Amino acid sequence: MDILQEISDNLQKGQVSKVGILVKQALEDKIDVKTILGSLIEGMGVVGRRFRDGEIYVPEVLIAARAMYAGLDLIRPLLVQTGATYIGKVVIGTVKGDLHDIGKNLVKMMMEGAGFEVIDLGRDVSPEKFVEAVKANQPDIVGMSALITTTMVNMKDTIEALKRANLRDKVIVMVGGAPVTERFAAEIGADSYAKDADTAVAKAKALISNKR
Amino acid sequence: MLKYYEVYIDKNLVLKYLGYKDKIPPKGISDEVGQCVDESYEFINPIICFDQFQFRLDGGILLPDGSIIEDGHIIESLRRANYIVMAVLTLGNKIDVKISDLFDRNDYMEGMIYDVIGNVALEYLGKIFWQDLLEGAKKQSMGITQSLSPGSGGWKDIADQRMIFNNLDTSSIGVELTDTFMMKPMKSLSVIYGIGRDVKTSAMDHDCAECPLVDCPYRKEMIKCAD
Ligand code: B12
Ligand code: SF4
């Protein structure tokens, strides 16, 4: 079987060490890093589809993600060196005052699995920090997470801060978290809301291709 | 007052909250969850800071420090009580550090398992504390409400956390309230119970009926009343 197909198949089965060995082998065989990344993304794509169809549950996705990282960690330095492009760049964080990060972490993982480069600012991220990170990294997307009503207002503040820094038009703003709704997202001037990590990826892809 | 408890972590409940409600989990996942459960106890230090308070019905639930709970649903739940118990429950900081470490290492699987273990442990802690209070109440021929937590379920305003923290010295258990009304460590809960002769004992320590989050993985609803 084609080694790239083998990488994808083993990732889907969550075979961590097998994926590591195969990716090393592919690199030795001088297969282009971007093509190897493609096989990881393909594998995670299948996993995502099976999750959406209700065939598998979150832990099975996470097991596959573990295998994905075993491969991704090996090729990440080479992706930087060769300047190979990801499908888009995302800056993500939980807004100021909010310490919840499980949901944000899952969104990050699914985005990486779909081929995005993700810069994770962590939690309790102030509007100023988001602005700095946008200046420094020039992402396509800014993702904000909030799990409590008292911190949702900081999503709006961050959008305002991006406007003041003349950066709002340069990025797509996505928001999410339990108390956030489509309506709230529209009210604060975000571009998109997603109820879960899987939808976040689908929407991010669509928004990026519209932008380009 | 402080109270220390041992908690029991039900592996099946962890699996249920991870999504396996009607489906049997793959063996590998079930085994890994089991192993994490066994190893998790060393990261969990359950402790509760609590006290009992008299109140008056005066524009709401008027507490001894002068603060007033004005939430209609909470007034309705507590109005028949003779006194209330306020409590802050925590598992301590170690489990937070463990969860963050796992996510930082991109081990999303174990990060998620430990996160759910923490929630199951906290749920158990809440339950046994409530059962203790129930036993005490029964001896006084009283009943006890379910747990009521600011910002949760029928209690709209999370800012009401202030009232609990103004009345309890939680520094002794290492829990602090941030200015956005979150508690550090993460695996902490703040609760109020009403206890009284005319209080009908709730069937469960926690009921989600008033909460609009119908798809919540942790949801449980009361089926019948205890008495
Ligand atoms: C588990 C839980 C807890 C646990 C653990 C919290 C933790 N993370 O450690 C415990 C029991 C400790 C807890 C405590 C409290 N909680 Co709590 N908790 C929850 C619960 C049930 C689930 C949160 C969770 O882990 N979800 C799982 C993750 C994976 O989902 P998620 O974060 O939503 O993320 C997904 C999506 O939202 C989306 N997403 C998230 N971010 C982003 C970002 C972008 C860009 C996009 C596109 C998408 C996206 O994708 C993610 C993956 O699919 C929620 C209710 C709910 N159903 O969400 C309440 C909830 C967050 N808690 C709430 C409250 C009030 C509290 C307490 C204040 C109660 C109290 N008085 O003690 C405390 C505070 C704790 C603290 N330390 O300050 C409220 C907050 C509401 C409000 N008024 O603001 C909620 C919403 C429940 C409710 N009844 O309304 N809680
Ligand atoms: S449905 Fe979920 S968020 Fe709502 S009260 Fe129940 S456990 Fe908490």
Side-chain angles (χ1 to χ4, degrees):
Chain A
M1 196 201 296
D2 172 7
I3 188 161
L4 295 170
Q5 189 58 50
E6 266 192 80
I7 292 175
S8 168
D9 288 353
N10 279 285
L11 179 151
Q12 291 168 43
K13 288 186 212 134
Q15 300 290 337
V16 180
S17 48
K18 206 70 189 285
V19 169
I21 292 167
L22 286 165
V23 168
K24 270 190 204 138
Q25 180 64 49
L27 288 169
E28 276 166 24
D29 294 352
K30 302 271 182 286
I31 297 179
D32 176 38
V33 268
K34 199 149 182 232
T35 311
I36 304 176
L37 176 65
S39 67
L40 297 173
I41 295 171
E42 205 263 334
M44 279 307 281
V46 175
V47 171
R49 256 195 313 279
R50 294 189 63 206
F51 174 71
R52 254 190 318 279
D53 294 345
E55 276 176 51
I56 57 168
Y57 294 169
V58 171
E60 286 137 283
V61 178
L62 300 178
I63 294 269
R66 199 183 254 166
M68 172 198 65
Y69 280 110
L72 192 60
D73 288 347
L74 289 170
I75 59 168
R76 229 192 294 247
L78 298 163
L79 282 168
V80 177
Q81 264 175 34
T82 55
T85 47
Y86 293 88
I87 65 166
K89 200 190 267 189
V90 183
V91 157
I92 196 166
T94 304
V95 294
K96 188 167 183 239
D98 206 323
L99 306 173
H100 290 93
D101 61 359
I102 308 295
K104 181 266 296 166
N105 290 344
L106 293 190
V107 174
K108 174 190 167 191
M109 182 274 287
M110 289 296 276
M111 292 260 192
E112 287 190 326
F116 285 93
E117 180 185 6
V118 184
I119 293 135
D120 183 3
L121 304 180
R123 48 193 191 171
D124 197 9
V125 181
S126 65
E128 300 74 41
K129 255 198 191 160
F130 272 110
V131 169
E132 269 168 41
V134 171
K135 280 186 187 155
N137 300 290
Q138 291 157 2
D140 303 289
I141 298 176
V142 171
M144 288 186 271
S145 181
L147 262 287
I148 46 171
T149 38
T150 37
T151 61
M152 279 163 71
V153 49
N154 294 328
M155 292 182 156
K156 185 169 194 288
D157 288 354
T158 304
I159 291 175
E160 296 303 323
L162 287 168
K163 278 187 193 159
R164 282 195 300 278
N166 291 322
L167 293 167
R168 177 64 189 92
D169 299 338
K170 300 196 167 54
V171 290
I172 295 161
V173 174
M174 296 186 73
V175 292
V180 180
T181 58
E182 196 96 57
R183 190 162 152 201
F184 175 78
E187 272 168 21
I188 62 166
D191 298 303
S192 183
Y193 153 81
K195 68 170 184 7
D196 57 36
D198 190 48
T199 320
V201 168
K203 289 198 172 180
K205 279 186 183 167
L207 285 161
I208 288 241
S209 63
N210 281 349
K211 191 183 161 202
R212 284 179 181 160
Chain B
M1 284 182 274
L2 300 184
K3 208 151 196 178
Y4 299 82
Y5 286 97
E6 303 236 325
V7 291
Y8 164 72
I9 297 150
D10 180 352
K11 174 185 155 185
N12 291 325
L13 203 51
V14 176
L15 284 163
K16 184 178 160 201
Y17 291 159
L18 281 169
Y20 299 100
K21 277 195 187 102
D22 339 290
K23 193 178 140 186
I24 296 167
K27 185 169 181 316
I29 287 173
S30 177
D31 288 350
E32 186 165 352
V33 168
Q35 195 177 337
C36 290
V37 166
D38 291 345
E39 289 167 5
S40 66
Y41 289 94
E42 64 171 297
F43 301 103
I44 293 174
N45 300 310
I47 178 164
I48 300 175
C49 172
F50 70 104
D51 223 326
Q52 145 180 339
F53 299 87
Q54 301 298 325
F55 67 90
R56 280 197 294 126
L57 277 173
D58 189 351
I61 304 288
L62 175 62
L63 299 169
D65 72 334
S67 46
I68 306 178
I69 302 174
E70 290 171 332
D71 186 295
H73 174 71
I74 302 306
I75 297 172
E76 197 40 51
S77 305
L78 296 176
R79 59 181 308 131
R80 284 174 205 84
N82 293 87
Y83 63 91
I84 59 171
V85 169
M86 293 198 221
V88 173
L89 295 65
T90 187
L91 303 182
N93 191 40
K94 262 188 174 174
I95 181 134
D96 281 8
V97 175
K98 175 77 180 167
I99 295 165
S100 296
D101 277 356
L102 288 164
F103 279 113
D104 288 348
R105 281 195 266 128
N106 284 340
D107 192 344
Y108 289 83
M109 177 66 182
E110 287 207 0
M112 199 65 196
I113 295 175
Y114 268 90
D115 181 67
V116 174
I117 285 178
N119 299 341
V120 168
L122 206 48
E123 184 179 316
Y124 183 88
L125 184 62
K127 196 160 95 187
I128 48 176
F129 181 55
W130 179 82
Q131 278 165 350
D132 262 9
L133 292 176
L134 170 62
E135 287 313 308
K138 272 186 189 160
K139 282 181 194 140
Q140 299 169 286
S141 308
M142 291 182 178
I144 180 170
T145 63
Q146 58 153 308
S147 65
L148 304 162
S149 294
S152 218
W155 195 334
K156 301 282 171 306
D157 195 357
I158 195 174
D160 284 349
Q161 290 258 61
R162 256 188 316 235
M163 297 182 197
I164 298 180
F165 280 79
N166 285 344
N167 283 290
L168 292 174
D169 177 14
T170 56
S171 61
S172 53
I173 58 164
V175 177
E176 63 172 287
L177 190 67
T178 69
D179 53 11
T180 46
F181 312 109
M182 286 205 73
M183 292 170 280
K184 285 186 192 167
M186 272 304 278
K187 297 298 178 202
S188 304
L189 261 181
S190 67
V191 287
I192 294 190
Y193 312 89
I195 296 173
R197 252 167 227 108
D198 297 328
V199 172
K200 223 174 172 196
T201 289
S202 162
M204 296 199 302
D205 63 307
H206 175 74
D207 179 20
C208 302
E210 297 294 326
C211 181
L213 298 170
V214 284
D215 294 328
C216 176
Y218 295 88
R219 194 167 182 95
K220 40 202 142 327
E221 283 191 44
M222 195 134 62
I223 298 153
K224 59 176 178 48
C225 230
D227 51 359

